[in-house]
Amino acid sequence: MNEHRRQILQMLSEGKISADEAERLISAFEEPAAAKSPENGSKGATARPKYLRVQVDSEDDGGHDGPTRVNVRVPMQLLRAGVKLAYLIPAAALQKANLAMHEKGIPVDLTQIKPENLEDLVEQLSDLSVDVDQKDANTKVKVRVFCE
Amino acid sequence: MIPFVAVVSLRNQDSRTFRLWIPLFLVWLLLLPVVILLSPFIFIACLMCRVSPFRGVTVVWQIFNALTDSQVEVEHRSAGMSFHIL
């Protein structure tokens, strides 16, 4: 029996509060504890997403020809496996890529990026959500990238 | 598990849908002898690039496994296409 419940029952036995009030107080103390337990609600928040979805809706020429919809669903497992391809990149190729990027003014050292870092990056994609909404005179494009 | 079937759906202007089931397991069976024949060359190429051939095989196998449930859909008023790997 926890401390709060003991105090409430003591107040009830001393006649300071009624049985109804005691019941309400006990339930008020129990509700936040129940909300914190993993069986109630927090399970969904920790669930790992299974797919990365890319949706593109576009309308050309004012939509006379109807919208074009593109819907791509990529399993997250495929992304995780894909980043492991970084294991297979030879060191010489990384050096060449570094040189090319430095020539373009991008100071990134690819040899410092480890496959573990890329795997962490994929894990963090679960919080990713990108919405792009572009409207021109003739085109209307809407792009959504999210995990589900 | 590696994907066994891919489904391609095509829809024309008259809303007629043509669905094609591609048995990928037959493709894998056909590719298997080719991969076995080429494996010594792949092994040598990996060693020349200083890449572990076993790790390479593992990664390629994982990618094949992860292809399951991939889906691409393109919809337009006049036509539509969908590609689903099962």
Side-chain angles (χ1 to χ4, degrees):
Chain A
M1 193 185 297
N2 66 29
E3 188 61 30
H4 294 300
R5 185 187 285 257
R6 191 186 298 277
Q7 283 176 358
I8 292 164
L9 290 175
Q10 195 172 351
M11 285 161 75
L12 178 66
S13 66
E14 289 169 359
K16 291 179 183 174
I17 54 172
S18 66
D20 285 346
E21 287 170 330
E23 192 182 352
R24 263 184 276 145
L25 282 170
I26 287 171
S27 59
F29 277 114
E30 280 176 350
E31 270 173 19
K36 281 178 192 170
S37 69
E39 290 83 17
N40 295 299
S42 63
K43 199 175 173 182
T46 55
R48 292 171 77 183
K50 283 183 77 178
Y51 303 104
L52 177 79
R53 195 177 277 273
V54 181
Q55 289 178 334
V56 182
D57 289 355
S58 78
E59 281 184 31
D60 291 332
D61 301 317
H64 301 304
D65 204 21
T68 302
R69 290 199 175 88
V70 179
N71 185 8
V72 181
R73 190 177 74 177
V74 183
M76 294 296 279
Q77 204 183 348
L78 183 60
L79 292 181
R80 287 190 197 99
V83 296
K84 286 179 186 164
L85 281 172
Y87 288 125
L88 307 180
I89 300 172
L94 286 176
Q95 296 287 353
K96 280 184 185 174
N98 271 346
L99 276 173
M101 288 176 80
H102 277 284
E103 281 172 12
K104 297 277 182 190
I106 305 167
V108 175
D109 188 0
L110 292 175
T111 55
Q112 297 299 314
I113 300 173
K114 303 279 181 282
E116 298 82 42
N117 305 136
L118 294 171
E119 283 169 27
D120 288 343
L121 196 70
V122 171
E123 290 302 317
Q124 299 306 317
L125 280 178
S126 56
D127 297 328
L128 174 87
S129 176
V130 179
D131 285 305
V132 180
D133 211 343
Q134 185 195 6
K135 280 178 190 170
D136 288 338
N138 295 329
T139 46
K140 201 164 91 177
V141 182
K142 197 173 183 179
V143 181
R144 285 188 73 208
V145 182
F146 58 96
C147 294
E148 59 182 11
Chain B
M1 196 191 291
I2 58 168
F4 286 126
V5 178
V7 183
V8 180
S9 296
L10 301 168
R11 182 180 56 79
N12 63 9
Q13 204 163 4
D14 308 324
S15 293
R16 283 188 182 170
T17 306
F18 173 71
R19 192 165 289 160
L20 181 67
W21 291 69
I22 302 168
L24 290 177
F25 62 92
L26 289 178
V27 178
W28 306 143
L29 280 176
L30 289 170
L31 279 178
L32 189 64
V34 179
V35 172
I36 290 170
L37 282 173
L38 290 177
S39 57
F41 301 104
I42 295 168
F43 189 81
I44 292 166
C46 286
L47 291 181
M48 283 171 70
C49 294
R50 295 181 183 177
V51 171
S52 165
F54 303 107
R55 180 167 271 180
V57 169
T58 309
V59 170
V60 172
W61 180 254
Q62 284 177 346
I63 288 173
F64 272 122
N65 280 332
L67 280 173
T68 310
D69 258 1
S70 300
Q71 192 175 14
V72 178
E73 287 175 352
V74 181
E75 279 292 327
H76 192 256
R77 196 176 66 176
S78 57
M81 190 280 288
S82 137
F83 181 74
H84 192 184
I85 298 176
L86 301 171

